[in-house]
């Protein structure tokens, strides 16, 4: 039985990606990390004072100061224990925050309208959801652990003042140079890290493109060219990498020169003060230890570099985390009905000249307006994909959507199932606007099948069961039988339990698994977006029969390229340049030569012999000649 989705009364507000917001996810762990870092720093600061006092007792020649020695041992163990605890908490908390940020970012992308979410190229999106989330999630952990990096040098300077102001003044003499070094390092690291991440995104995008088109590349024998194209940004990536290491190298070299000089200066002043009798031997030992901790401010370079990378990564996640979810009015479940579909003056406009990667668009503000859209005569280039579509599809009937390539068929299929919101007009399902329904309640009522379906899940059964709810074994097998997939699934090594990695599937078999998934999740609206294109004649015939069996209780929208699909539908929608050219039964439209030309073969002859006489209103000839077309 289908579980009832949870009702959400209003859209979620945008979720900004800030380290403060992320820190609220695991405040206990971050507090423990803060306490461990602080405890380790305090133990390290107390140890020089205890050590100096113990040395003074030993130099005075009195009894062995066992209490002082024990205190030094306890402080050493405490420092080691706190540091070990901080290391464990840093790793575990960082992993949990990374998992949370990835989940939240992915949920934002999936909840948004696909047109908005997919404005980022697939490869770049993958890089942001993996490497960038890991970098951004380290900010709270690094900030909590950096307490020790700040507390140690500041506490050491205070300790030097307590022992002898002159030794502290000697250290402060070179402190401005050290602060300037850290400031320059942080700024340069942030710039280099951001450029490195952008180059990584370009490589990831090009690699994803090549993997998607691997068959085309192989057939065209352009593998070497694609190899060079994908790896071309490696030169830039390497340059940014060398630049990053150069920044680290310069900072390390300058620190290696500056810090020993500061130590030498502090020890020299301390030695002079010892010679003058102003401080004792124990004070000199403590001062040397405090000077070592004070010059440890250079260890902040690692934390500052991590924070700079985190900020750069967080900026790339902001466009994803601020995506608006699909708006809705929070209405309850749809009223009962067979899927009566109505479109009122529906229009869809594509912003900008989209060329497949849109790299300039998602970065924004390069050349164009503030949204990153290309400009044409000062205005964004807006291409109409659908214009003024008025249509009513009675519930339980079938509609074939036909038209030449680029006529808007797939856009229409996306709009009627709310994978895409129209820019103008309204789409209603059983009298309720799609935009009024909570997507969690609407999605189970609509099933989709695509020409190139994604196959999530581990096994064949998993991918068929995947959907708004997990279909049971009986529904999985019934869906596979309806899609004529049970035959080849039975030949697999473990049947439905066969891992997808061990199931070599043809394009048609993948389509049948996608159809089986749609059949296994029945709703009141079934949309096939060119999902029959890879099927042979016999299989397509059986799938069409399975579709016909759903007449009266499910509306079927079939994006069709074959004449057989149009001839079998109750009604045909003929699109041309995003507009409705005509609607009606296939038999009536067949009298129009331009409609027949939509199905023209590559040889220039009309499929199904458009010149044949006898194609009457009953459609006998077009239906009969479907088999000829298929052969």
């Amino acid at each position: 039985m289908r579980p009832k989705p949870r009702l959400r009364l209003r859209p979620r507000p945008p979720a900004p990606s800030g380290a403060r917001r992320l820190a609220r996810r695991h405040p206990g762990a971050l507090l423990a990390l803060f306490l461990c870092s602080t405890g380790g720093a305090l133990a390290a600061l107390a140890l020089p004072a205890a050590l100096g006092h113990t040395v003074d007792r030993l130099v005075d020649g009195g009894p062995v100061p066992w209490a002082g020695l024990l205190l030094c041992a306890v402080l050493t163990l405490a420092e080691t224990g706190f540091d070990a605890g901080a290391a464990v908490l840093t790793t575990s908390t960082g992993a949990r925050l990374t998992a949370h940020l990835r989940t939240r970012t992915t949920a934002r992308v999936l909840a948004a309208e696909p047109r908005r979410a997919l404005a980022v190229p697939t490869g770049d999106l993958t890089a942001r959801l993996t490497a960038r989330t890991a970098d951004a999630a380290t900010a709270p952990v690094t900030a909590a652990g950096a307490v020790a990096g700040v507390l140690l040098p500041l506490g050491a300077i205070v300790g030097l003042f307590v022992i002898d102001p002159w030794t502290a003044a000697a250290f402060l003499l070179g402190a401005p140079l050290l602060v300037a070094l850290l400031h320059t390092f942080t700024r340069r690291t942030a710039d280099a890290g951001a450029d490195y991440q952008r180059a990584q995104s370009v490589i990831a995008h090009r690699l994803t493109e090549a993997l998607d088109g691997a068959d085309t590349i192989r057939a065209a024998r352009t593998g070497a060219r694609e190899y060079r194209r994908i790896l071309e940004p490696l030169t830039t990536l390497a340059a940014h990498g060398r630049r990053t290491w150069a920044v680290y190298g310069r900072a390390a070299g300058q620190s290696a020169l500056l810090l020993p000089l500061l130590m030498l200066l502090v020890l020299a002043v301390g030695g002079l003060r010892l010679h003058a009798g102003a401080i004792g031997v124990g004070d000199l030992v403590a001062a040397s230890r405090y000077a070592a901790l004070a010059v440890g401010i250079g260890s902040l370079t690692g934390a500052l570099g991590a924070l700079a990378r985190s900020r750069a990564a967080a900026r790339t996640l902001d466009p994803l985390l601020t995506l608006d979810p699909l708006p809705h009015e929070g209405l309850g479940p749809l009223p009962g009905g067979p899927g009566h579909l109505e479109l009122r003056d529906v229009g869809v406009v594509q912003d900008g000249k989209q060329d497949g990667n849109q790299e300039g668009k998602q970065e924004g503000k390069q050349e164009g307006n503030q949204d990153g859209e290309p400009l044409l005569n000062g205005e964004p280039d807006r291409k109409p994909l659908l214009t003024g579509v008025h249509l009513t599809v009675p519930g339980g009937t079938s509609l074939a959507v036909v038209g030449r390539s680029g006529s808007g068929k797939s856009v229409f299929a996306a709009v009627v199932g709310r994978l895409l919101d129209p820019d103008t007009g309204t789409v209603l399902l059983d009298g309720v606007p799609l935009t009024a329904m909570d997507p969690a309640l609407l999605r189970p009522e609509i099933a989709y099948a695509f020409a190139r379906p994604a196959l999530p899940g581990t096994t064949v059964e998993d991918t068929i069961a995947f959907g708004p709810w997990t279909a049971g074994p009986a529904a999985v097998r019934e869906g596979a039988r309806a899609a004529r997939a049970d035959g080849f699934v039975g030949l697999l090594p473990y049947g439905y339990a066969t891992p997808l990695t061990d199931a070599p599937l043809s394009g048609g078999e993948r389509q049948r698994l996608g159809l089986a998934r749609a059949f296994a999740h029945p709703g009141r609206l079934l949309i096939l977006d060119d999902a029959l294109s890879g099927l042979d004649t016999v299989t397509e015939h059986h799938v069409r029969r399975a579709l016909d069996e759903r007449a009266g209780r499910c509306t079927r929208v079939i994006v069709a390229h074959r004449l057989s699909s149009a001839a079998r539908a109750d009604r045909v929608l003929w699109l041309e340049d995003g507009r409705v050219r005509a609607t009606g039964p296939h038999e009536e439209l067949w009298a129009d030569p331009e409609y027949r030309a939509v199905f023209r073969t590559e040889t220039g002859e009309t499929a199904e012999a458009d010149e044949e006489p006898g194609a009457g209103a009953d459609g006998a000839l077009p239906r009969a000649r479907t088999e000829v077309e298929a052969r």
Side-chain angles (χ1 to χ4, degrees):
M1 196 174 166
R2 185 187 311 176
K4 182 178 293 186
R6 185 175 59 183
L7 175 65
R8 183 179 295 277
L9 295 180
R10 54 182 178 273
R12 290 170 294 178
S17 63
R20 185 177 302 174
R21 179 184 180 86
L22 194 60
R24 298 194 191 107
R25 186 66 186 177
H26 295 287
L30 292 174
L31 177 61
L33 175 59
F34 172 80
L35 293 177
C36 284
S37 300
T38 304
L42 292 177
L45 290 172
L47 181 59
L51 184 62
H53 180 72
T54 303
V55 168
D56 280 338
R57 294 282 300 276
L58 290 172
V59 171
D60 290 344
V64 177
W66 293 109
L69 293 174
L70 180 61
L71 178 60
C72 291
V74 169
L75 290 175
T76 301
L77 291 175
E79 181 183 0
T80 304
F82 280 128
D83 289 345
V88 172
L89 288 170
T90 297
T91 303
S92 60
T93 307
R96 290 199 295 269
L97 289 177
T98 300
H100 167 70
L101 186 56
R102 283 177 179 164
T103 301
R104 185 159 62 94
T105 307
T106 303
R108 273 282 169 179
V109 172
L110 295 178
E113 182 185 345
R115 177 169 52 168
R116 309 300 178 194
L118 297 181
V120 179
T122 304
D124 188 11
L125 181 62
T126 303
R128 296 190 194 195
L129 293 177
T130 53
R132 303 295 179 273
T133 51
D135 289 337
T138 60
V141 175
T142 304
V147 173
V150 176
L151 186 59
L152 282 175
L154 293 181
I157 294 174
V158 173
L160 287 175
F161 267 109
V162 171
I163 293 173
D164 182 61
W166 288 101
T167 57
F171 176 81
L172 292 178
L173 187 64
L177 294 177
L178 193 56
V179 173
L181 172 64
L182 292 177
H183 174 73
T184 302
F185 170 79
T186 303
R187 178 173 51 82
R188 291 178 177 176
T189 300
D191 295 340
D195 293 339
Y196 189 87
Q197 290 172 355
R198 280 192 288 270
Q200 278 184 321
S201 297
V202 173
I203 293 177
H205 171 59
R206 293 185 179 182
L207 178 59
T208 303
E209 281 185 330
L211 291 176
D212 287 342
D215 291 340
T216 303
I217 294 171
R218 189 182 299 111
R221 294 182 175 272
T222 57
R225 187 192 309 167
E226 282 300 305
Y227 179 82
R228 291 191 297 270
R229 186 180 75 91
I230 294 169
L231 298 185
E232 179 188 6
L234 276 180
T235 303
T236 304
L237 187 71
H240 293 319
R242 287 191 296 270
R243 175 182 162 199
T244 301
W245 285 111
V247 171
Y248 274 99
R250 281 194 294 270
Q254 293 167 354
S255 298
L257 177 64
L258 179 60
L259 301 185
L261 289 178
L262 286 177
M263 279 285 297
L264 182 61
L265 182 60
V266 170
L267 291 177
V269 173
L272 293 175
R273 297 291 289 170
L274 175 65
H275 179 73
I279 60 174
V281 175
D283 292 332
L284 181 60
V285 171
S288 65
R289 294 285 297 173
Y290 280 130
L293 294 177
V295 298
I297 194 173
S299 64
L300 279 175
T301 55
L304 292 175
L307 287 174
R309 289 192 302 273
S310 297
R311 291 183 60 186
R315 284 194 293 269
T316 67
L317 295 180
D318 281 340
L320 303 180
L321 287 167
T322 54
L323 285 171
D324 291 327
L326 281 173
H328 60 88
E329 299 173 11
L331 297 185
L334 282 169
H340 181 85
L341 190 63
E342 185 178 359
L343 287 82
R344 300 176 180 173
D345 194 26
V346 168
V348 178
V349 176
Q350 182 183 43
D351 292 339
K353 298 177 181 178
Q354 307 213 0
D355 56 3
N357 63 22
Q358 303 182 24
E359 291 177 12
K361 182 173 182 178
Q362 80 272 2
E363 294 298 337
K365 300 184 182 180
Q366 293 183 358
E367 291 187 10
N369 64 5
Q370 62 181 358
D371 297 322
E373 297 174 342
L375 296 182
L376 182 62
N377 297 327
E379 294 294 335
D381 180 15
R382 299 172 64 84
K383 176 184 177 182
L385 302 180
L386 288 178
T387 304
V389 177
H390 290 273
L391 182 68
T392 299
V393 184
T397 63
S398 60
L399 175 74
V401 185
V402 305
R404 298 185 185 277
S405 178
S407 59
K409 299 185 298 297
S410 291
V411 176
F412 177 87
V415 166
V416 297
R418 213 193 175 193
L419 293 184
L420 178 67
D421 277 343
D423 294 294
T424 60
T426 306
V427 181
L428 299 94
L429 183 61
D430 285 321
V432 179
L434 297 186
T435 54
M437 289 298 304
D438 185 338
L441 297 175
L442 175 65
R443 194 51 53 201
E445 303 294 342
I446 303 173
Y448 263 99
F450 300 96
R452 298 178 61 188
L455 301 180
T458 305
T459 65
V460 172
E461 182 167 358
D462 290 341
T463 198
I464 298 176
F466 184 86
W469 70 92
T470 302
V476 166
R477 283 152 181 78
E478 178 60 31
R481 282 191 291 270
R484 301 292 287 181
D486 55 335
F488 75 82
V489 171
L491 298 176
L492 295 175
Y494 305 103
Y496 288 90
T498 303
L500 289 170
T501 54
D502 298 336
L505 301 173
S506 66
E509 289 169 342
R510 294 178 68 91
Q511 276 194 358
R512 278 184 272 175
L513 289 183
L515 286 165
R517 182 168 58 215
F519 285 137
H521 299 83
R524 67 185 71 192
L525 180 60
L526 174 60
I527 302 172
L528 307 185
D529 187 359
D530 201 20
L532 306 178
S533 59
L535 305 186
D536 59 82
T537 304
V538 175
T539 302
E540 182 189 2
H541 172 72
H542 285 283
V543 171
R544 287 204 307 265
R545 288 183 59 183
L547 290 172
D548 292 342
E549 291 173 359
R550 285 158 173 74
R553 52 190 174 91
C554 172
T555 301
R556 290 93 64 210
V557 176
I558 305 166
V559 174
H561 291 87
R562 293 181 178 178
L563 183 56
S564 55
S565 297
R568 199 177 187 96
D570 297 317
R571 194 178 182 192
V572 175
L573 169 65
W574 177 13
L575 292 176
E576 188 172 281
D577 295 330
R579 296 179 179 273
V580 177
R581 175 68 182 270
T583 61
H586 169 74
E587 294 82 1
E588 295 180 5
L589 297 180
W590 187 254
D592 189 336
E594 294 190 28
Y595 174 76
R596 297 197 299 271
V598 170
F599 304 96
R600 191 175 299 278
T601 63
E602 294 180 358
T603 61
E605 297 179 357
T606 303
E608 315 294 345
D610 58 359
E611 298 298 333
E612 291 288 345
D618 60 355
L621 179 60
R623 292 180 186 271
R625 299 187 67 83
T626 297
E627 300 299 328
V628 177
E629 175 216 13
R631 285 197 293 270

